[in-house]
């Protein structure tokens, strides 16, 4: 990983740089619209509100461009088939739209900076731009707090899976060919959809291990977890599990992971995936169940 | 079923942003944080002689609106912190984050008073104004960093609103699930 990408992902700060930088443009652009609105409701003849608002908006746009760069880098770290990818794309499109409208609002007030009121067209433009920005900011919040993008990413030092490997077993067989063993290096993971069962295959201490994709606490993607000392660390809340037995080593998770048999043969990865009973969803305490499954 | 604590629980849920789907604190913290840091930058621009009268007014709006927004930010932050277990590392981080933010808020409160007094003078941004907005900004950098550790290193608020959605997805994918409460 290049040093620039390392910093743009915010790894030295244990948190994404994009999330730290967006405070300033969001605050200044919101203030810009607010001052435009105030200029229509309160008479402050000598305050040159259209001009003061223009400064807030201009610096807001400049800082938004700075914040966009690490945002683009974050986008590239999201798995292609993740539900977050579409949200991130919409977030980006709406941000660009909002900035264009704020820039338009600047242009529309250019010859009335000393007026008492922001011209109506400029007010409407900054109002719509603020609305778009608010919704886009909400989507940014969804990316972090619903989808977990960037959460715990700094602990993982190997590349994240870029997509899910989809494999299907033949009728009556549990064993599936996943891919080439050489594609999985130490500390790396594959995210596998084997006939509908989601499995993480990891290489830990040279050997392969396979366990369920979702953490048993709040269902974070364990294929994005950090692997060390024979354990997988959940990216969201730091639960730790033994990769061979699936046992909880450290909470907050309380339920063990389901594990699967995985083998390396002639340079290929073979995974055993027993069919998931349709009622697996109504979880009974699963320590016993995960024992049976193994 | 009337329980004496039901209204309190409802209030905490509201403040934590249950209705929004994500932590409310993280959604509104942009305002004081961005505006106060911005005001410090604008003070430097004014001192360097770049449209001081415009930047001085902009600074008044930044710090003033930031102070107004700080109240809901503090209350929602307290609501988030109240559900962190005492033995978790994030609890102590929260205490440090809160303490630094309170000092920063007081600093910008003082800064706002200085600004208003000086606004119509020939040099609207005096050294005490510049120093207090700079000191406040340094405090915000540190406490903002602690806040980001709470979200991104400890996962506070992450999947709080989406865990039911993820539970269905995990169930469909054949994973063991958390025991139902």
């Amino acid at each position: 990983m290049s040093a620039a990408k390392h910093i743009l992902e915010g790894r030295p700060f244990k948190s994404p740089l994009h999330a730290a930088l967006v405070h300033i443009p969001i605050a200044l652009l919101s203030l810009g619209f607010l001052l435009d609105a105030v200029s229509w409701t309160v008479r402050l003849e000598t305050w040159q509100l259209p001009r003061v608002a223009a400064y807030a908006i201009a610096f807001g746009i400049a800082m938004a461009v700075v914040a966009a760069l690490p945002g683009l880098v974050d986008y590239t770290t999201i798995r292609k088939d993740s539900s977050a990818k579409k949200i991130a794309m919409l977030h980006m499109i709406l941000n660009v739209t909002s900035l264009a409208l704020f820039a338009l609002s600047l242009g529309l007030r250019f010859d009335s900076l000393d007026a008492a009121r922001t011209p109506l067209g400029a007010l409407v433009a900054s109002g719509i731009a603020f609305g778009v920005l608010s919704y886009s900011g909400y989507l940014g919040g969804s990316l972090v707090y619903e989808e977990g993008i960037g959460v715990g990413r700094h602990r993982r030092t190997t590349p994240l899976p870029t997509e899910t490997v989809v494999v299907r077993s033949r009728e009556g067989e549990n064993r599936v060919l996943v891919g080439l063993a050489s594609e999985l290096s130490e500390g790396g993971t594959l995210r596998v959809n084997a006939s509908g069962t989601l499995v993480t295959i990891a290489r830990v201490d040279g050997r392969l291990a396979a366990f369920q994709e979702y953490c048993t606490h709040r269902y974070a993607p364990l294929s994005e977890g950090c692997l060390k000392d024979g354990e997988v660390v959940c990216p969201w809340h730091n639960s730790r599990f033994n990769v061979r037995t699936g046992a909880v080593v450290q909470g907050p998770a309380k339920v063990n992971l389901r594990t699967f048999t995985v083998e390396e043969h002639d340079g290929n990865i073979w995974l055993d995936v027993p069919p998931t009973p349709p009622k697996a969803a109504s979880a009974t305490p699963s320590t016993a169940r995960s024992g049976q499954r193994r | 079923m009337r329980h004496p604590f039901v209204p309190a629980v409802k209030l905490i849920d509201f403040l934590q942003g249950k209705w929004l789907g994500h932590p409310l604190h993280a959604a509104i913290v942009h305002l004081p944080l961005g505006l106060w840091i911005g005001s410090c930058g604008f003070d430097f621009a004014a001192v360097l002689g770049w449209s001081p009268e415009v930047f001085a007014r902009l600074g008044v709006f930044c710090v003033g609106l930031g102070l107004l927004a700080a109240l809901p930010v503090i209350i929602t932050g307290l609501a988030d912190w109240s559900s962190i277990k005492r033995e978790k590392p994030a609890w102590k981080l929260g205490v440090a984050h809160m303490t630094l933010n309170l000092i920063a808020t007081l600093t910008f409160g003082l800064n706002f008073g200085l600004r208003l007094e000086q606004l119509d003078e020939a040099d609207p941004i005096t050294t005490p104004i510049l120093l207090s907005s700079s000191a406040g900004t340094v405090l915000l950098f540190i406490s903002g960093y602690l806040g980001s550790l709470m979200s991104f290193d400890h996962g506070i608020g992450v999947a709080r609103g989406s865990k039911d959605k993820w539970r269905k997805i995990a169930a469909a994918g054949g994973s063991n699930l958390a025991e139902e409460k």
Side-chain angles (χ1 to χ4, degrees):
Chain A
M1 192 180 313
S2 75
K5 191 163 184 256
H6 189 82
I7 291 172
L8 288 171
E9 280 187 20
R11 289 172 174 273
F13 322 109
K14 298 184 181 180
S15 42
L17 198 53
H18 177 70
L21 287 174
V22 296
H23 300 300
I24 296 179
I26 291 176
L28 291 181
L29 294 170
S30 305
L31 176 66
F33 161 64
L34 194 71
L35 292 178
D36 286 346
V38 166
S39 78
W40 278 74
T41 44
V42 187
R43 282 269 159 213
L44 291 169
E45 302 282 355
T46 59
W47 277 68
Q48 299 180 311
L49 285 182
R51 183 187 293 274
V52 177
Y55 275 58
I57 292 172
F59 280 95
I61 292 174
M63 286 306 296
V65 172
V66 173
L69 184 61
L72 281 171
V73 172
D74 284 350
Y75 178 79
T76 65
T77 69
I78 303 175
R79 201 181 61 244
K80 279 179 209 154
D81 49 51
S82 157
S83 51
K85 201 75 171 179
K86 281 183 190 151
I87 301 176
M89 177 55 83
L90 184 58
H91 174 67
M92 180 159 54
I93 292 170
L94 292 179
N95 284 338
V96 171
T97 308
S98 173
L99 290 186
L101 285 166
F102 271 118
L104 174 68
S105 174
L106 279 188
L108 290 175
R109 78 184 62 202
F110 206 70
D111 45 15
S112 27
L113 288 175
D114 296 319
R117 280 179 175 179
T118 302
L120 185 60
L123 170 71
V124 170
S126 72
I128 298 172
F130 173 72
V132 174
L133 181 71
S134 302
Y135 182 63
S136 187
Y138 172 80
L139 293 180
S142 300
L143 287 169
V144 173
Y145 293 103
E146 290 180 34
E147 304 285 329
I149 301 304
V151 179
R153 192 178 60 192
H154 53 281
R155 283 189 288 272
R156 168 82 174 231
T157 48
T158 53
L160 296 172
T162 54
E163 58 192 324
T164 306
V165 180
V166 182
V167 287
R168 189 159 281 281
S169 57
R170 272 183 296 188
E171 199 70 34
E173 273 187 38
N174 291 338
R175 176 151 288 210
V176 289
L177 175 65
V178 176
L180 291 173
S182 57
E183 284 170 10
L184 194 53
S185 49
E186 181 64 30
T189 50
L190 293 175
R191 186 181 196 266
V192 182
N193 177 341
S195 313
T197 303
L198 271 291
V199 180
T200 298
I201 301 179
R203 189 182 291 281
V204 188
D205 304 323
R207 287 192 300 139
L208 298 182
F211 44 87
Q212 70 180 54
E213 163 69 351
Y214 300 101
C215 178
T216 56
H217 172 229
R218 286 188 186 169
Y219 317 107
L222 294 176
S223 60
E224 299 180 12
C226 156
L227 295 146
K228 62 174 183 189
D229 306 330
E231 294 167 7
V232 58
V233 183
C234 174
W236 291 357
H237 302 96
N238 299 308
S239 294
R240 283 162 38 204
F241 304 90
N242 182 307
V243 294
R244 315 279 171 206
T245 65
V248 176
V249 180
Q250 179 189 289
K254 296 188 179 78
V255 175
N256 294 345
L257 299 181
R258 185 182 172 196
T259 56
F260 303 87
T261 304
V262 63
E263 282 169 8
E264 225 174 312
H265 265 312
D266 303 327
N268 290 317
I269 297 172
W270 293 88
L271 178 69
D272 274 9
V273 181
T276 300
K279 266 293 161 195
S282 62
T284 43
S286 338
T287 21
R289 260 193 12 192
S290 70
Q292 288 166 9
R293 288 266 170 72
R294 262 183 283 125
Chain B
M1 284 280 284
R2 289 187 81 85
H3 192 279
F5 294 118
V6 166
V9 170
K10 284 248 161 84
L11 180 65
I12 295 270
D13 279 349
F14 174 82
L15 293 173
Q16 288 188 346
K18 195 173 183 182
W19 55 278
L20 185 68
H22 342 129
L24 190 53
H25 178 73
I28 58 179
V29 76
H30 303 300
L31 280 185
L33 193 53
L35 291 174
W36 288 345
I37 293 172
S39 78
C40 178
F42 299 143
D43 287 349
F44 275 97
V47 167
L48 292 173
W50 198 26
S51 323
E53 70 294 338
V54 181
F55 278 117
R57 282 185 202 133
L58 183 51
V60 167
F61 285 119
C62 281
V63 178
L65 181 62
L67 286 170
L68 283 180
L71 186 66
V73 171
I74 291 170
I75 296 171
T76 51
L78 275 171
D80 275 353
W81 177 74
S82 72
S83 21
I84 302 174
K85 293 194 184 84
R86 174 108 204 224
E87 66 273 15
K88 297 279 177 191
W91 191 88
K92 273 189 182 166
L93 273 178
V95 174
H97 174 69
M98 190 167 10
T99 311
L100 290 175
N101 282 334
L102 281 179
I103 303 172
T105 305
L106 293 175
T107 308
F108 279 102
L110 172 80
N111 176 275
F112 190 61
L114 296 173
R115 269 176 210 280
L116 286 184
E117 272 180 14
Q118 199 65 22
L119 191 60
D120 295 321
E121 306 293 326
D123 58 332
I125 304 300
T126 56
T127 309
I129 294 174
L130 186 67
L131 283 182
S132 54
S133 69
S134 303
T137 297
V138 170
L139 288 170
L140 289 178
F141 269 96
I142 302 170
S143 73
Y145 172 67
L146 298 181
S148 77
L149 287 184
M150 293 178 80
S151 286
F152 293 103
D153 200 24
H154 297 277
I156 303 299
V158 175
R160 190 163 66 198
S162 59
K163 58 177 182 285
D164 294 340
K165 177 186 96 175
W166 286 116
R167 185 182 176 90
K168 290 195 186 90
I169 293 170
S175 285
N176 290 343
L177 306 174
E179 291 175 45
E180 265 174 304
K181 293 215 173 120

